[in-house]
Amino acid sequence: MALGDLMAASRFSQSGAEVSSHLEEFSANGNHVEEDGDMNVYSSNNINNNNSNARDLSEMASSSYAAMTTTTSMAYLPQTVVLCELRHDGFEDCMPSGPSDSGLVSKWRPRDRMKTGCVALVLCLNINVDPPDVIKISPCARMECWIDPFSMAPQKAIEAIGRNLNQQYERWQPKARYKCTLDPTVDEVKKLCTTCRKYAKSERVLFHYNGHGVPKPTPNGEIWLFNKYIPLTLNDLDSWMKTPSIYVFDCSAAGLIISAFVELLDQSTSTSGPSAKDCILLAACEAHETLPQSAEFPADVFTSCLTTPIKMALRWFCTRSLLHESFDYSMIDRIPGRQTDRKTLLGELNWIFTAVTDTIAWNVLPHDLFRRLFRQDLLVASLFRNFLLAERIMRSANCSPMSYPVLPPTHQHHMWDAWDMAAEICISQLPTLVDDPNAEFQPSPFFTEQLTAFEVWLDHGSERKKPPEQLPIVLQVLLSQLHRFRALVLLGRFLDMGPWAVDLALSVGIFPYVLKLLQTTTPELQQILVFIWTKILALDKSCQVDLVKDGGHTYFIRFLDSIDAYPEQRAMAAFVLAVIVDGHRRGQETCIEAGLIHVCLKHLQCSSPNDAQTEPLFLQWICLCLGKLWEDFSEAQLIGLQADAPAIISPLLLEPQPEVRAAAVFALGTALDVGSDTSRDGQGEEDDDDEKVKAEAGIVKNLLNVVSDGSPLVRAEVAVALSRFAFGHNKHLKSVAAAYWKPQSSSVLTSLPSFAVKGSSSGYTTPTHYMPHGSIVPSPIAPLLRVGHDSQPVSRDGRVSSSSPLATPGIMHGSPLSDDSSQHSDYGALNDCVTNGVLSYSRRKPLDNALYSQCVLAMFNLAKDPSPRVESLGRRVLAIIGIEQVVAKSFKPAGVSIRPGEPSTSASASLAGLARSSSWFELTGGAHLPLAFRTPPVSPPRPSYMTGMRRVCSLEFRPHLMSSPDSGLADPLLASPGPSGVSDRSFLPQSMIYNWSCGHFSKPLLTAMDDTEDVIARREEREKLALDHIVKCQHSSLSKMQNQIASWDTKFETGTKTALLQPFSPVVIASDENERIRVWNYEEATLLNSFNNHDYPDKGVSKLCLVNEFEENLLLVASNDGNIRIWKDYSSKGQQKLVTAFASIQGHRPGVRSVNAVVDWQQQSGYLFSSGEISSIMAWDLDKEQLVSTIPLASDSSISALAVSQVHGGQFAAGFVDGYVRLYDIRTPEMVVSATRPHTQRVERVVGIGFQPGLEPAKIVSASQAGNIQFLDMRCAKDKYLTIDAHRGSLTALAVHRHAPIIASGSAKQLIKVFNLEGDPLGTIRYYPTFMAQKIGSVSCLTFHPYQVLLAAGAADACVSIYADEILPPR
C-alpha cells in the first residue's frame, strides 16, 4: 500500500458528506418549504452534452422534483464554490519564486567535502620511566592500545602499541597515509608534520599526541618531547601543520593546550582579520585534571574511546550491568562479524552506535556545527561520534574531555539508554553465538522501535513543535534493505509537512542516501523515491546538477513512461525532470538524449481532452517539462517541431483547468525561437527554416485563440509568449505598427481585393476581444458591418474603412464568438493589402502580414487588460515592438463639457482639425501613464482623454516620418529617433506559471486540505439562518416597506448607479458611474471601505454581484464595457484584493459606441452570463474561468436586462431593447426555451427582469421603460397573465425578491411602488421634503436583501436608503 495508496486516498478524501448531511437535516426539521403551482419542467432531461461541468448542474436544477423537501434546501442553498483556488490567492501581488538554487536553502550542502589525507601519530610513552609530575596508584591503568607495555621489552612494546594505534585509526579512514614516530625529538616531529602537510596538500592532517610518558603540558600549552623533556610550542606545531588540521591530545591537563590554542587563534584574528584556519582539537581532560588511573580503564582511555568505541563501550557497560558477575570480558574481543557488515552482531552494534551518537549530536548541536563536524569529513565525523562516548565514560571517572569547537554536554542524553538496551540485548546473545558458530543471530529491535517513535511524532508533530529526534536514525535505516521501505514512506510523510521539514532532512544528511537509491531497480521503492525527490527539488533546485551527474534523470524518465503509476505520481516525475532541465543546459542535453520529448508527447497524445481519467496536474507538468526542456535551446525546439509538438499541445488550450491552459501556452511560447536579430530580419538563410517559420505561425495562431481567456494566469502567459515572438520578429511587427500611423495612399486602399467575411451565425463580424477597452471604438475597426451582398467592408458614412491594416484582420481567427466556419479563415486574401513600401522592406516575409496585424492587435488588448499584471506585461510587449508611453496632458476643448461615454456633435466640429493626432486606441489611464496609438481615424474619436504614446522608431522609418507633414504625430519631438526597440533578451518578461506551479509541491500533498472546522461551522450556521429567513419570507404577510431604517449619503458625485445588500451582515455596497465602490455598515452607520474598481479612463458600472454567498464572499463588479473584476476582503479598509479579472464581452455590434454590458451571476451553476450591444450572450464558467458557450441572439435587437434563476442552474431570462423577453436554458441543445413580446403598447426597452420567487422554473416578471410590469409564465401559450401599469413612461428600476412574494419598481419621478405577486399595490415610497429639507432624485437602482424583507434604493443624487416593513426584522 504505502505512499502511493496514501496519495490515492487523499485524492478522494474531500467529500461533500458534511454538507449533504446537514442539508437533509434542515429539510427534515419541519418540512417547512412550500411550493405553489404545478411542477412540470419543460425540458427536464435535455442536458447539453457539451457541458462538461463537473459540478452537477443537472443535479442542482434536479429534473424531477419528487423528493421536493430535500431538493428545496439544495436549490435554495447552492453548494458551488468558485474562485477559491491557489491561483486566486494574490495572483496580482506576488511574484512566486520557484525552487531556490541559492541562499537560505542550500545551507544544508556541505560547503566543501573534506578528507583527512594524512595522520601523524606521536607516542611519547618512555616505557618503564614515570614522568616526574605523576604519582601512580596501585593497581594502576596500564593498557595502551589494548597492549600491556610491561608484558614485553620496552622497545618492542612501544612498536606494537604504535602498530596497533595505526590499525585502530585505519578502521575509520583506510585511505589515509599514516606515519608514526615513537618517543621523538622536536626535529623528528617537525619533519613528520612538514612531510604530512606536503603529502596531504590541501587535505586535512591529523596529529595524534600520546603524552603518557612525559610531564603535563606547561601553562603556556607547550607539549613535551624528547630527548630529556624538551617543550614544543604550539606556535611551532601550528606553523608546521598548517590548516586544515585536527589534533588529538591524550595526556593529563590537556585543557591547557586548548586554552593556549584558542589564545593563539584570537591573536592571529586580531592581527590579520578573520582567521581562515580550520583547526579542530580534541583533548582528554580539562586543565586541572589528570587522566583516570583506575585499573578498570585502559591507560589511554581517551584514545580507546576514539578509536575502538564498541569494545570500550561494552567493557564499560558490563561493569555497570546486571550481567557483570557472570560475564567473561574476553568475549568482547570475540564478537562475531565485521564492523562493516550490518547483518552480523559486531556490524549491527556499530550501526546502532553510529545512529545513537549521530542522533545525540543532531539534537544537541547547532545545525551548522553538526554539518561541519559530522558531515564534512569521514574521519572527523567518526572521531566526534566516539568523542561523545569518551565524554560519557570519562565523566564517570570525574574527567571531562574537551574539544574546540566546544560541544554542549551530552553524557546524560536519554539516547544513551537506548544504546545500553541494545548493548544488553547483544551481550545476552554473545555466549551462545561464541559457543555455537551456527547459532542464528537475532537482530536488535532498536531500529524498528525508533521508526515507530518517528511515526508517533509524525501523527502529532508539527513545525511549531520540537523536531523529531529520530531523523538521523531514519537516515541510518535507509542503509538496510529490511527497514528501507518503511523508512522511506515515513520520510516521505515527514518531508510533506513543509519546506522546513525538507530543510531539516537535508541538513541531517539525507541527500547522498536518496541519490544513491536512484541506482536501485526495486519497483516498490519507485513511487516513494519520486515523491521524496519531488519534495527535495521543490525546495532546492541546485540538486539538478547532482542528478544529471549521477544519471538520476533516467530513473524519472523511466518512471514517467511506466504505466502502473498514478497520474499524480507521474506528474511528480515530470516536475522533477522539469527542475532538472530548468536553466541547466547539461540537463537539457542529457534528457533529450534520453528521449524525454517523445515520452512527454506520447503521454499528451494518449490523453484525449474528454478523458476524465487524465489528471490535470499531470497534463500541466508534462507541458511545463516540455517548455523548460526546449526553453532557449534551439536544437530541442527543432526536435519538438519535427515531432509535431505544437499540434499535440494546442488541444490543451481548451482544457477546463486554467493551470493546464497556462502550462500549454508556456510550452508553445518557449518553442518559439527568440533567435538573433539578423536571422529574424531576413538576412539569414532563405530556405532552411521554412518549416520552422510555418510551425511558428501555427503556434502564434493558437496563442491568439486564448488571448482573451477568462483566466489572467493564461493571459499573462500569452503575453510572455507573444513577447518572445515580438523579440524574434521585431522588425516585421514594428513595420506593421508603423503602418498604423503612416498615411496610406488612396490607390492602395481602393485596390483592396474583395474578400468575404465569415462572421458568427447572426451575420455580424466578430472581432472577438480585439476591441479597444471601454466605450470608444476606433472607426477603422468599428465599421466591420454586417456582411451583405457587397463583400467590401463599408463604414457608416460609406467610405472604405481601411485606413490601417487592422481594418482587415479585425475578424480574428478562432474567436470565441465565431462559429466553426470561421475557425480556419483564410489569410491569403489579406496578405497583399498591407504590403506597401513600409512592410516589404526586408527580403523575405517570414509570416503573412495579416498574422502580424493580429499580433499587434492582441498586444494592444493585453496592454489594456483588466488584470493589472497582464496589463503591465502587455505594455512590455508593446515596448519590444517600439511603442512606449509618453506623458500627455488630458485635453478638453474650451467651452465644451463632455461627459465620458457620450459622443458630442458640438465637440466634433472644434476637434475636426485634431482628427489626425487624436488617440486611435485608448489604453489605460489614471494611475498609469495614459497610452494611445496615433493614426488617422475616419471619424473624430471622443476627445475626453488626449492620451499620448510614442512609437520608438528606428532610423529606417525616419525619412517617411519627417518628410510627411501629416505623419500622424502630434508633436515633432515624438518623431525623433529613439533606440530601435529592444535588442537585449533580458528585457523579455519572465513567465510565471512554472515558478507558480512549483509552489504546489512545496505544500502538503498527502493530507487532504479539508476546510477547517470554523469554515464548516460558519457555513452551517449561515445555511440554517438562510433557511429560517426563507421560511419567514415565504410566509410573510403584506409588506408596505415604508419604514426607512437607514439612509446613507454615499457622496458619489455622479449618483448611485448600483447597490447590493450583503446576506449575513448589515452591510450595503454601492457604486457610482465612475466605478468608485463604497461599503457601508447600515446598523452602525459607518463606512467600512472605499476603493476604485480600476484606473482606466473609461468608467461605468453595470452590476454588483456576490460570489460564494455562504463562504467568505467575493464582490463581482461588472463594468459597462463588459470587464469583470472580482474582489476579496473588500469590506476591510484598504485590504481589498483583486482575485481575478477578465473581459466578459468580446467585440460588439458595428456602429455602436458602447457595449452597455448587462451581466448576471448564477451561483448554482457557477456561470456568469453577459451580453449587451452584441449579437450573442456569453456564458462564462467561473470555475474553469472559461467561455463555455456563446448563445447567438435571434434578432438584431440587443439585450437590455438579464436575470438568472436562483434555483434552477443554467436557466436565465433576457429582456430586449425591442420589448421582447426570452427564457434560456444553457442545458438544452437549442438554448432558447421560449420567447414572448409582452411590452407592445409602445415599443419600449425592457429595463428590469426577474424570476418570481419559488421553485417554478418559468415564471418571470418584466418591466419596460414605458412603466408597465408584466407577469409572465413562459411555459404557457398566452403571453402574460397579469399586467400592472406602475409608472407612466418613467420606470427606471425593478427588483423581485428572491423568496418573498413581493416586487418593487422605481421611477424617475422620485417614487418607489411595492406590489405582491397578484399585482396588488402594497405601498408607495415617496420622497417628501422633510424638516431637514431632504428631497432626493430619480431612483437609479433597487435591490432586495436575499433572505430578509429589506429593500435598498439608490438615487441619482448619491443617497442610498434602506426600507423594511413596519416592524424592524430581527437579524
Side-chain angles (χ1 to χ4, degrees):
M1 155 143 170
L3 199 85
D5 300 344
L6 238 172
M7 289 164 63
S10 75
R11 288 158 70 198
F12 306 116
S13 61
Q14 293 167 317
S15 68
E18 304 93 338
V19 176
S20 53
S21 63
H22 68 246
L23 276 176
E24 281 157 24
E25 178 192 313
F26 285 155
S27 47
N29 276 348
N31 293 335
H32 47 230
V33 187
E34 292 181 4
E35 266 48 69
D36 50 348
D38 55 353
M39 283 298 137
N40 63 346
V41 177
Y42 47 84
S43 166
S44 56
N45 299 320
N46 260 331
I47 306 303
N48 186 356
N49 295 333
N50 298 332
N51 180 8
S52 58
N53 195 337
R55 290 162 284 99
D56 282 325
L57 263 180
S58 49
E59 204 175 291
M60 289 182 190
S62 163
S63 49
S64 77
Y65 294 112
M68 188 51 74
T69 41
T70 34
T71 323
T72 302
S73 53
M74 288 294 281
Y76 285 145
L77 310 176
Q79 302 302 308
T80 313
V81 181
V82 295
L83 302 176
C84 53
E85 303 290 330
L86 181 68
R87 65 179 179 271
H88 302 115
D89 203 16
F91 167 79
E92 297 294 341
D93 320 323
C94 64
M95 189 66 205
S97 57
S100 171
D101 50 357
S102 62
L104 175 75
V105 291
S106 289
K107 281 186 182 168
W108 62 267
R109 205 180 266 280
R111 279 182 297 282
D112 37 354
R113 298 289 297 197
M114 298 225 28
K115 200 169 98 192
T116 301
C118 206
V119 177
L121 305 173
V122 177
L123 300 179
C124 298
L125 292 176
N126 204 7
I127 294 169
N128 285 341
V129 180
D130 286 346
D133 59 351
V134 172
I135 301 164
K136 292 196 173 174
I137 60 168
S138 178
C140 180
R142 288 162 53 166
M143 305 286 269
E144 299 274 357
C145 293
W146 305 105
I147 291 174
D148 184 349
F150 300 102
S151 62
M152 55 185 95
Q155 188 55 35
K156 274 190 174 176
I158 194 167
E159 285 170 3
I161 290 167
R163 271 197 309 277
N164 254 19
L165 182 61
N166 197 345
Q167 287 165 4
Q168 286 171 200
Y169 266 114
E170 269 182 341
R171 190 177 300 146
W172 303 107
Q173 177 58 294
K175 291 180 180 172
R177 180 175 285 193
Y178 291 85
K179 291 186 181 299
C180 186
T181 170
L182 312 170
D183 292 351
T185 62
V186 171
D187 287 342
E188 284 170 342
V189 170
K190 178 179 180 179
K191 186 183 173 190
L192 173 73
C193 292
T194 49
T195 311
C196 283
R197 171 49 63 203
K198 192 173 169 187
Y199 173 77
K201 297 186 177 122
S202 63
E203 291 178 341
R204 201 186 295 278
V205 176
L206 184 144
F207 180 87
H208 179 102
Y209 171 78
N210 177 326
H212 296 172
V214 290
K216 292 173 187 171
T218 67
N220 294 334
E222 296 153 313
I223 56 173
W224 297 96
L225 299 171
F226 295 101
N227 209 345
K228 294 185 183 170
Y229 303 143
I230 296 170
L232 167 65
T233 66
L234 275 183
N235 216 343
D236 289 344
L237 180 60
D238 180 52
S239 67
W240 304 332
M241 286 283 290
K242 298 193 170 64
T243 184
S245 51
I246 176 169
Y247 301 87
V248 176
F249 296 106
D250 188 350
C251 58
S252 292
L256 289 167
I257 306 173
I258 293 217
S259 308
F261 206 96
V262 171
E263 232 171 87
L264 189 71
L265 280 178
D266 289 347
Q267 280 171 14
S268 67
T269 306
S270 60
T271 55
S272 60
S275 167
K277 286 194 169 180
D278 180 1
C279 295
I280 295 169
L281 289 88
L282 298 173
C285 57
E286 290 186 4
H288 60 278
E289 293 173 345
T290 51
L291 294 175
Q293 293 187 16
S294 164
E296 74 164 305
F297 296 114
D300 65 345
V301 57
F302 187 58
T303 301
S304 297
C305 286
L306 291 183
T307 55
T308 54
I310 303 298
K311 184 173 183 176
M312 193 66 227
L314 289 179
R315 288 177 75 93
W316 181 79
F317 172 73
C318 286
T319 58
R320 282 154 179 71
S321 150
L322 296 173
L323 305 167
H324 72 278
E325 289 171 2
S326 59
F327 189 70
D328 176 4
Y329 286 80
S330 66
M331 276 195 206
I332 292 176
D333 292 328
R334 290 184 286 156
I335 295 176
R338 296 192 318 280
Q339 265 194 323
T340 51
D341 183 359
R342 288 183 300 273
K343 290 178 181 165
T344 62
L345 184 55
L346 184 59
E348 183 174 75
L349 270 173
N350 185 54
W351 186 28
I352 294 172
F353 178 78
T354 304
V356 167
T357 47
D358 243 15
T359 303
I360 292 172
W362 159 253
N363 284 293
V364 171
L365 267 59
H367 285 180
D368 49 350
L369 187 60
F370 173 82
R371 283 194 290 274
R372 182 182 162 208
L373 301 182
F374 286 80
R375 291 294 180 259
Q376 207 174 19
D377 180 325
L378 217 57
L379 182 57
V380 171
S382 303
L383 288 176
F384 267 93
R385 281 191 201 103
N386 303 344
F387 176 80
L388 300 184
L389 174 75
E391 190 195 8
R392 185 186 192 209
I393 289 176
M394 292 177 75
R395 274 189 186 252
S396 71
N398 298 318
C399 204
S400 307
M402 294 177 70
S403 70
Y404 176 82
V406 182
L407 301 191
T410 58
H411 59 291
Q412 290 181 321
H413 196 279
H414 63 90
M415 278 305 289
W416 286 119
D417 298 338
W419 161 250
D420 290 345
M421 186 176 172
E424 190 159 62
I425 290 171
C426 151
I427 289 170
S428 63
Q429 287 188 58
L430 201 50
T432 322
L433 291 170
V434 171
D435 296 344
D436 178 7
N438 298 323
E440 200 175 327
F441 143 71
Q442 292 297 316
S444 162
F446 172 81
F447 288 107
T448 313
E449 288 164 358
Q450 292 298 324
L451 283 180
T452 304
F454 184 47
E455 197 166 358
V456 169
W457 187 94
L458 288 175
D459 290 339
H460 303 284
S462 72
E463 184 177 5
R464 292 182 299 282
K465 295 187 179 168
K466 194 172 163 243
E469 57 183 32
Q470 296 81 14
L471 214 47
I473 297 174
V474 176
L475 194 69
Q476 290 293 325
V477 173
L478 295 179
L479 300 167
S480 144
Q481 281 188 330
L482 182 65
H483 304 291
R484 184 176 292 153
F485 181 64
R486 183 183 176 204
L488 281 172
V489 169
L490 294 177
L491 180 63
R493 279 182 58 192
F494 176 65
L495 298 183
D496 195 47
M497 295 178 94
W500 63 272
V502 183
D503 196 34
L504 272 181
L506 287 171
S507 52
V508 85
I510 194 170
F511 186 76
Y513 292 75
V514 287
L515 188 61
K516 191 94 176 139
L517 283 174
L518 292 180
Q519 293 166 15
T520 63
T521 51
T522 324
E524 61 266 21
L525 295 185
Q526 282 184 337
Q527 295 178 0
I528 180 60
L529 271 175
V530 168
F531 182 82
I532 286 171
W533 272 103
T534 299
K535 286 292 173 185
I536 292 173
L537 287 172
L539 179 80
D540 194 346
K541 169 187 162 181
S542 68
C543 308
Q544 59 181 187
V545 182
D546 309 78
L547 280 170
V548 173
K549 202 162 77 183
D550 281 32
H553 60 284
T554 54
Y555 188 87
F556 298 101
I557 294 175
R558 278 201 308 275
F559 184 83
L560 184 65
D561 210 17
S562 67
I563 46 171
D564 44 1
Y566 286 117
E568 295 102 313
Q569 293 164 334
R570 299 224 295 269
M572 289 176 200
F575 163 73
V576 170
L577 289 162
V579 177
I580 288 174
V581 297
D582 178 21
H584 183 212
R585 182 48 56 91
R586 186 79 200 95
Q588 288 174 314
E589 288 163 355
T590 48
C591 285
I592 281 168
E593 283 160 24
L596 179 56
I597 287 186
H598 299 288
V599 170
C600 290
L601 291 175
K602 184 178 82 183
H603 282 300
L604 289 183
Q605 280 170 308
C606 297
S607 63
S608 63
N610 299 322
D611 181 9
Q613 293 307 304
T614 307
E615 177 69 26
L617 190 68
F618 179 48
L619 294 178
Q620 180 184 345
W621 274 103
I622 288 278
C623 289
L624 291 171
C625 180
L626 282 170
K628 281 289 170 190
L629 191 52
W630 55 49
E631 187 175 35
D632 299 329
F633 187 24
S634 46
E635 290 88 335
Q637 290 166 348
L638 214 55
I639 294 170
L641 295 179
Q642 285 162 356
D644 206 15
I648 296 168
I649 296 170
S650 54
L652 297 179
L653 298 174
L654 302 171
E655 281 287 310
Q657 294 79 19
E659 293 87 350
V660 178
R661 303 200 296 274
V665 171
F666 173 74
L668 290 172
T670 50
L672 293 169
D673 186 7
V674 173
S676 63
D677 286 336
T678 50
S679 68
R680 273 285 154 255
D681 289 346
Q683 281 93 28
E685 309 81 11
E686 288 289 324
D687 308 311
D688 282 2
D689 55 356
D690 272 359
E691 284 302 309
K692 194 167 184 177
V693 164
K694 203 168 155 190
E696 290 199 351
I699 290 174
V700 172
K701 286 174 189 174
N702 282 318
L703 293 176
L704 292 177
N705 286 344
V706 282
V707 79
S708 50
D709 191 275
S711 170
L713 195 67
V714 181
R715 299 196 304 278
E717 290 309 308
V718 174
V720 172
L722 284 178
S723 74
R724 292 176 66 88
F725 178 69
F727 194 93
H729 293 249
N730 201 334
K731 290 199 172 174
H732 300 283
L733 285 160
K734 277 184 184 175
S735 55
V736 170
Y740 284 137
W741 95 147
K742 180 175 188 304
Q744 311 251 344
S745 70
S746 54
S747 59
V748 175
L749 300 184
T750 49
S751 61
L752 281 171
S754 59
F755 57 96
V757 182
K758 298 171 185 156
S760 66
S761 49
S762 66
Y764 283 91
T765 56
T766 53
T768 72
H769 192 184
Y770 306 95
M771 280 296 124
H773 180 95
S775 51
I776 172 155
V777 181
S779 315
I781 289 195
L784 286 169
L785 291 179
R786 282 200 68 182
V787 179
H789 299 295
D790 180 6
S791 59
Q792 189 85 322
V794 177
S795 66
R796 270 166 299 164
D797 54 6
R799 288 178 288 175
V800 176
S801 77
S802 46
S803 60
S804 100
L806 276 191
T808 39
I811 309 98
M812 192 49 64
H813 164 74
S815 84
L817 281 179
S818 55
D819 57 15
D820 293 339
S821 63
S822 68
Q823 287 288 326
H824 312 285
S825 54
D826 177 22
Y827 294 97
L830 307 178
N831 281 353
D832 300 329
C833 61
V834 279
T835 52
N836 61 4
V838 178
L839 284 186
S840 13
Y841 76 92
S842 73
R843 277 187 294 148
R844 73 186 169 86
K845 295 175 300 189
L847 301 176
D848 60 22
N849 288 314
L851 193 58
Y852 284 133
S853 301
Q854 292 178 22
C855 285
V856 173
L857 251 178
M859 291 166 189
F860 270 111
N861 280 288
L862 289 167
K864 338 180 239 78
D865 197 273
S867 155
R869 167 160 277 171
V870 179
E871 176 237 7
S872 68
L873 286 169
R875 285 165 170 267
R876 287 181 67 177
V877 182
L878 284 182
I880 292 173
I881 59 166
I883 295 164
E884 288 185 5
Q885 307 158 35
V886 292
V887 181
K889 300 182 184 76
S890 77
F891 170 82
K892 199 170 180 184
V896 184
S897 75
I898 300 171
R899 263 188 67 181
E902 292 176 1
S904 159
T905 47
S906 60
S908 307
S910 64
L911 283 171
L914 287 167
R916 282 268 180 234
S917 60
S918 56
S919 62
W920 197 90
F921 261 115
E922 292 239 349
L923 290 144
T924 49
H928 316 292
L929 278 176
L931 110 57
F933 201 71
R934 302 180 178 282
T935 193
V938 177
S939 55
R942 234 177 21 169
S944 329
Y945 300 94
M946 267 295 292
T947 53
M949 161 182 295
R950 84 172 166 224
R951 171 79 174 66
V952 177
C953 45
S954 44
L955 288 170
E956 298 99 310
F957 296 129
R958 198 170 173 217
H960 296 302
L961 301 176
M962 302 317 286
S963 62
S964 161
D966 192 13
S967 64
L969 284 171
D971 184 335
L973 275 174
L974 296 182
S976 60
S980 55
V982 181
S983 56
D984 180 14
R985 189 181 284 211
S986 67
F987 188 79
L988 284 176
Q990 293 304 302
S991 163
M992 208 183 85
I993 180 68
Y994 169 75
N995 284 348
W996 182 84
S997 301
C998 290
H1000 169 80
F1001 292 111
S1002 308
K1003 295 183 168 52
L1005 301 173
L1006 300 178
T1007 49
M1009 297 294 285
D1010 284 331
D1011 287 340
T1012 59
E1013 288 175 13
D1014 302 348
V1015 173
I1016 294 170
R1018 186 181 61 222
R1019 181 174 175 106
E1020 284 185 6
E1021 183 191 341
R1022 287 182 169 185
E1023 287 182 345
K1024 273 193 172 126
L1025 195 67
L1027 279 174
D1028 290 346
H1029 281 311
I1030 289 171
V1031 177
K1032 285 174 187 160
C1033 284
Q1034 289 174 337
H1035 294 102
S1036 65
S1037 55
L1038 296 181
S1039 209
K1040 291 183 182 173
M1041 301 296 294
Q1042 285 173 339
N1043 183 21
Q1044 180 174 329
I1045 60 166
S1047 178
W1048 169 36
D1049 179 8
T1050 60
K1051 299 190 168 53
F1052 287 141
E1053 292 171 14
T1054 55
T1056 309
K1057 177 76 191 325
T1058 176
L1060 180 66
L1061 286 164
Q1062 265 203 2
F1064 301 108
S1065 49
V1067 169
V1068 60
I1069 307 151
S1071 172
D1072 68 353
E1073 192 60 54
N1074 289 329
E1075 301 197 52
R1076 181 88 192 153
I1077 290 158
R1078 296 207 163 112
V1079 186
W1080 192 63
N1081 182 315
Y1082 54 81
E1083 277 189 359
E1084 297 168 8
T1086 51
L1087 184 69
L1088 302 179
N1089 196 14
S1090 174
F1091 62 96
N1092 282 321
N1093 190 30
H1094 63 80
D1095 295 322
Y1096 287 95
D1098 288 316
K1099 303 279 191 180
V1101 73
S1102 166
K1103 183 157 179 122
L1104 300 176
C1105 303
L1106 279 187
V1107 177
N1108 304 341
E1109 263 180 19
F1110 292 97
E1111 317 296 320
E1112 282 296 338
N1113 52 47
L1114 308 172
L1115 177 66
L1116 183 151
V1117 186
S1119 302
N1120 276 344
D1121 53 19
N1123 282 350
I1124 304 293
R1125 291 174 179 82
I1126 297 177
W1127 298 89
K1128 70 174 185 181
D1129 304 332
Y1130 57 87
S1131 53
S1132 310
K1133 193 166 188 60
Q1135 300 297 306
Q1136 70 278 356
K1137 278 205 186 93
L1138 190 62
V1139 173
T1140 187
F1142 63 99
S1144 71
I1145 287 179
Q1146 286 145 21
H1148 48 79
R1149 293 174 187 273
V1152 175
R1153 308 226 70 155
S1154 170
V1155 177
N1156 291 327
V1158 283
V1159 171
D1160 207 2
W1161 156 248
Q1162 187 172 55
Q1163 188 76 44
Q1164 277 85 345
S1165 60
Y1167 280 1
L1168 175 95
F1169 299 99
S1170 67
S1171 188
E1173 299 285 355
I1174 57 171
S1175 48
S1176 55
I1177 302 169
M1178 328 280 279
W1180 293 85
D1181 185 326
L1182 285 202
D1183 191 37
K1184 300 171 182 171
E1185 294 185 62
Q1186 201 174 26
L1187 181 68
V1188 284
S1189 186
T1190 304
I1191 305 162
L1193 300 184
S1195 73
D1196 290 350
S1197 176
S1198 47
I1199 293 182
S1200 53
L1202 193 65
V1204 298
S1205 165
Q1206 291 298 339
V1207 285
H1208 300 295
Q1211 198 182 100
F1212 64 98
F1216 286 75
V1217 175
D1218 59 5
Y1220 262 95
V1221 172
R1222 289 182 177 84
L1223 178 66
Y1224 294 86
D1225 193 324
I1226 199 159
R1227 301 166 299 173
T1228 62
E1230 62 280 356
M1231 305 286 190
V1232 184
V1233 177
S1234 59
T1236 179
R1237 188 173 188 175
H1239 305 287
T1240 48
Q1241 18 337 21
R1242 292 158 51 200
V1243 176
E1244 289 279 8
R1245 65 194 291 127
V1246 176
V1247 290
I1249 193 165
F1251 281 80
Q1252 294 183 28
L1255 285 177
E1256 289 194 83
K1259 284 196 165 179
I1260 287 170
V1261 181
S1262 102
S1264 80
Q1265 205 168 353
N1268 59 338
I1269 301 174
Q1270 305 289 358
F1271 289 73
L1272 315 169
D1273 187 338
M1274 300 297 282
R1275 299 166 299 184
C1276 300
K1278 62 177 181 138
D1279 286 347
K1280 53 209 175 202
Y1281 61 87
L1282 180 61
T1283 301
I1284 311 170
D1285 282 319
H1287 308 273
R1288 290 196 196 85
S1290 59
L1291 193 141
T1292 53
L1294 173 77
V1296 183
H1297 199 286
R1298 212 188 276 185
H1299 302 290
I1302 181 172
I1303 67 167
S1305 65
S1307 154
K1309 295 174 182 167
Q1310 304 152 1
L1311 58 93
I1312 298 167
K1313 292 186 177 177
V1314 183
F1315 303 92
N1316 64 17
L1317 293 184
E1318 280 71 52
D1320 306 328
L1322 299 179
T1324 303
I1325 302 164
R1326 293 182 186 279
Y1327 292 117
Y1328 297 109
T1330 62
F1331 65 93
M1332 293 174 72
Q1334 267 193 332
K1335 182 172 170 65
I1336 73 167
S1338 66
V1339 178
S1340 56
C1341 61
L1342 288 174
T1343 179
F1344 278 109
H1345 188 286
Y1347 303 112
Q1348 296 178 29
V1349 185
L1350 287 178
L1351 175 69
D1357 63 352
C1359 190
V1360 172
S1361 307
I1362 298 171
Y1363 301 94
D1365 204 352
E1366 297 296 344
I1367 303 145
L1368 206 68
R1371 275 202 64 240

